Amino acid sequence: MDVLLRLLWMLGVLLVGTGLRGVGALNASRTDRLNAATYYVALPSLVFVATYDRSIADLLSGALVVAVLASLLGTAAVAWLLHRNRPTARRSVAVVQSYHSNLGYLGLPLVAATFEPDVTALASVVLGVALLVQVPLTVTVLSTVNGAETSVAREASALARNPVLIALVAGVAIGAAGVPVPVVVTSGLDLLGSLVLPLALLCVGASLRVDLPVTDPGATGSVLALKLGLAPAIAWLTLSGFGVGSAALAAGVVMLGTPTAVSTYVFATELGGDAEFASRNVFATTVASIASLYAIIGLIG
């Protein structure tokens, strides 16, 4: 019941963000500032606090890294086959939105609010590994299918400067070296990290478009089935097959079972994808994920 109430609270905050945008309280500039506070401050703080006091052996294992990569690429391959006959701009979006998860703004904060700290630490690693795959793969698929020009060097540079990855590397390095971190610092970062979920939900809610017509329900339904059904199932089978522990299994399945990331809409707009279709799918998967995540967490226990 606690999990259900938490997920319903999440949906409520999402809708508050959407409502605030509708009445003009969360306009574009305010949403950008809120997003910056979440992305550059709160989320890196959560990642660092989750990892700084753990050894590399506790966090990194070849089985976890390979299983996450196999899960993402396996879901992408199935999506490519399923959506291969759709119109070009829509096909590219359907493929990327079937595997590209909202790991930072929904996945990690949800894990931190629901599971023990060791699961949150491993979810931070899943976030880091997936970021290194999701973004380059999404840019490659969209630019290749739509014939759009992009800069690989620019994307690589953006990843290298990603504050979440920097916080993860810093946390792992400090944990490996056994360097003590002052309590006042960790307490402050812990407080900032606790703000990720409400801030991120408001940002996501302010980005959702609820007024778009459903012009291709079959395609949207396929994205829903793949993202919220097949993706976590593949993650479960893959992680179990590689023999990861229960904490890593919970972290991986919940993280990869999160809805489609809002950033896929941004990438689709920049790289020739069907932007309206992308926006509609972000909304559909986000709302439907309340039920699917409840089921996933219940099965994981």
Side-chain angles (χ1 to χ4, degrees):
M1 183 59 71
D2 288 344
V3 173
L4 178 59
L5 291 176
R6 186 175 295 115
L7 289 168
L8 291 175
W9 172 82
M10 289 172 56
L11 178 60
V13 179
L14 277 170
L15 296 178
V16 167
T18 304
L20 289 175
R21 187 202 63 203
V23 299
L26 268 182
N27 55 27
S29 61
R30 290 170 182 165
T31 301
D32 286 344
R33 288 196 293 271
L34 194 64
N35 186 68
T38 306
Y39 183 69
Y40 289 102
V41 180
L43 184 55
S45 297
L46 175 59
V47 170
F48 180 83
V49 169
T51 56
Y52 81 95
D53 57 350
R54 299 177 184 274
S55 67
I56 290 183
D58 291 336
L59 293 175
L60 296 178
S61 71
L64 177 60
V65 172
V66 173
V68 171
L69 294 176
S71 298
L72 285 169
L73 296 176
T75 304
V78 173
W80 183 272
L81 291 174
L82 183 64
H83 298 299
R84 65 186 182 280
N85 294 324
R86 301 193 187 281
T88 300
R90 187 159 296 177
R91 178 173 81 247
S92 63
V93 170
V95 170
V96 302
Q97 291 193 319
S98 296
Y99 67 80
H100 197 130
S101 302
N102 196 335
L103 301 168
Y105 276 27
L106 289 180
L108 185 60
L110 175 61
V111 169
T114 307
F115 294 94
E116 297 297 323
D118 57 338
V119 182
T120 305
L122 289 166
S124 299
V125 175
V126 173
L127 170 60
V129 173
L131 277 177
L132 293 173
V133 178
Q134 280 193 160
V135 174
L137 183 58
T138 291
V139 170
T140 300
V141 170
L142 287 169
S143 60
T144 301
V145 173
N146 299 316
E149 292 186 2
T150 187
S151 170
V152 176
R154 183 186 64 185
E155 298 301 332
S157 175
L159 274 178
R161 292 181 283 107
N162 187 297
V164 176
L165 291 177
I166 292 173
L168 177 60
V169 171
V172 171
I174 289 176
V179 177
V181 180
V183 174
V184 65
V185 173
T186 58
S187 297
L189 293 176
D190 191 39
L191 177 61
L192 291 172
S194 68
L195 299 175
V196 173
L197 191 54
L199 292 178
L201 290 170
L202 287 173
C203 290
V204 174
S207 303
L208 296 178
R209 293 286 304 277
V210 300
D211 56 344
L212 294 174
V214 180
T215 56
D216 192 345
T220 295
S222 296
V223 172
L224 277 167
L226 285 172
K227 186 68 206 71
L228 303 182
L230 184 66
I234 289 177
W236 195 315
L237 291 172
T238 306
L239 289 160
S240 299
F242 277 92
V244 303
S246 59
L249 178 67
V253 174
V254 173
M255 292 288 281
L256 297 177
T258 52
T260 299
V262 177
S263 60
T264 58
Y265 165 74
V266 178
F267 285 127
T269 302
E270 295 176 348
L271 298 174
D274 187 331
E276 284 196 2
F277 179 66
S279 181
R280 184 166 57 249
N281 291 343
V282 170
F283 173 75
T285 59
T286 300
V287 173
S289 69
I290 300 301
S292 64
L293 286 170
Y294 177 68
I296 289 170
I297 294 172
L299 289 171
I300 290 174

